[in-house]
Amino acid sequence: MAVADRPGARSVPVVPVASGHSIPVLGLGTSHQGGYSHTAVVHALQKCGIRHIDTAKRYGCESLLQRAIRESAVKREDLWITTKLWHSDCGYESTKKACLESCERLGVEYLGLCKSIGVSNFLISHLEQLKEDCVITPHVNQVEYHPFQRPQELVDYCRRRDIVFEGYCPLAKGEALTHPTIIQLAKKYGRTPAQICIRWSIQNGIVTIPKSTKVERIEENCKVFDFTIAEDDVEILNGMHDGRHVSWDPSFIVFLILI
């Protein structure tokens, strides 16, 4: 894991991607639920050293992010921006058109069109199907990941195939913040439950993208690189996996690959 040198901002470690680029291990998530805060995004970029933003066409905030990125004055080449297309955009020409439209809304020339490509919510069965139908292996797989949902078999599968595993919902949509074990560990380390969850995820080698629209929460979520959770405590958190989904369960989804 390398550290990106960004004068004037906190340094966030990065990990290499098979495309030849590097992705920051901590990013800022956005979504179609829970609102959007221009101030929070600008603060994350200007004050917290965040250089990784996750969004999607479906979230409806790509144009809003363009304004925030412009106001932050962070250079495009210093940013890792992820957006996701909708299933209706399948097919080469439709996908290319949708990607160009996302670039226009975000105010960027590339995401890449396309520097790195990935998938979201793909389980082993879906990745195996993709392997049969496509030539290029995804560079990233973005999947729900938190103490209650730790799909280690999938993580191991991705690592063997040089696919970066990226975890969303690291706080289990708040459910993890009230768990007695996590609260106890937070007290032990003098941290917040959110910081324990995020640090645990990063220590497990997961690119982690917590979401918040509150400046103070973003500040809190970013202060996770000046402490380490002991291995025995990591194992305690690892043992909390119960298969719970707080987003949605893609287990029974069949993906149709059109090429």
Side-chain angles (χ1 to χ4, degrees):
M1 186 180 293
V3 175
D5 181 19
R6 303 184 181 96
R10 301 169 194 165
S11 293
V12 174
V14 298
V15 294
V17 180
S19 61
H21 301 279
S22 296
I23 182 172
V25 299
L26 181 66
L28 177 65
T30 60
S31 77
H32 59 291
Q33 296 176 327
Y36 174 86
S37 169
H38 172 81
T39 301
V41 175
V42 173
H43 184 86
L45 293 170
Q46 285 186 336
K47 305 297 184 182
C48 298
I50 289 295
R51 295 295 182 267
H52 175 183
I53 297 176
D54 181 85
T55 189
K57 173 183 176 179
R58 182 189 181 204
Y59 301 168
C61 61
E62 290 174 321
S63 297
L64 300 175
L65 283 168
Q66 175 183 170
R67 177 170 161 252
I69 292 168
R70 186 168 59 245
E71 185 174 318
S72 76
V74 175
K75 295 179 181 179
R76 171 65 185 98
E77 58 266 29
D78 291 335
L79 289 172
W80 178 287
I81 302 175
T82 297
T83 196
K84 298 176 283 292
L85 307 182
W86 198 231
H87 58 77
S88 58
D89 298 317
C90 60
Y92 177 78
E93 291 300 330
S94 295
T95 298
K96 183 177 180 180
K97 179 175 181 291
C99 188
L100 286 169
E101 289 171 348
S102 283
C103 284
E104 183 176 358
R105 287 189 292 269
L106 285 161
V108 298
E109 294 182 358
Y110 66 91
L111 289 164
L113 198 59
C114 273
K115 300 282 187 179
S116 304
I117 61 173
V119 293
S120 184
N121 297 306
F122 271 49
L123 304 181
I124 292 175
S125 60
H126 308 130
L127 291 168
E128 283 290 306
Q129 179 186 346
L130 195 66
K131 186 173 67 174
E132 293 296 320
D133 296 328
C134 300
V135 176
I136 299 175
T137 299
H139 301 127
V140 178
N141 185 19
Q142 189 183 113
V143 181
E144 181 179 340
Y145 189 94
H146 47 75
F148 311 126
Q149 178 56 230
R150 188 178 71 94
Q152 192 59 40
E153 186 179 356
L154 175 59
V155 172
D156 293 339
Y157 177 97
C158 288
R159 286 176 178 161
R160 288 194 300 270
R161 286 154 181 80
D162 209 14
I163 302 170
V164 171
F165 191 99
E166 183 173 336
Y168 65 84
C169 290
L171 311 182
K173 292 190 175 178
E175 290 184 23
L177 305 184
T178 58
H179 193 282
T181 299
I182 294 174
I183 291 173
Q184 182 179 8
L185 287 172
K187 291 178 180 177
K188 176 180 177 178
Y189 287 91
R191 299 288 171 161
T192 66
Q195 289 170 333
I196 293 296
C197 291
I198 294 167
R199 180 65 199 180
W200 165 79
S201 179
I202 290 172
Q203 280 188 220
N204 275 342
I206 308 300
V207 174
T208 306
I209 47 171
K211 174 189 179 294
S212 181
T213 58
K214 296 180 173 60
V215 167
E216 61 273 20
R217 293 296 186 193
I218 290 175
E219 279 279 346
E220 174 186 333
N221 294 345
C222 291
K223 293 177 180 177
V224 292
F225 297 108
D226 59 348
F227 78 104
T228 301
I229 301 174
E231 190 59 37
D232 55 344
D233 289 331
V234 169
E235 289 304 317
I236 289 173
L237 291 165
N238 287 350
M240 292 175 60
H241 171 78
D242 59 15
R244 185 187 325 175
H245 283 278
V246 297
S247 180
W248 64 290
D249 185 355
S251 299
F252 304 104
I253 300 297
V254 176
F255 287 99
L256 175 64
I257 308 298
L258 298 179
I259 56 175

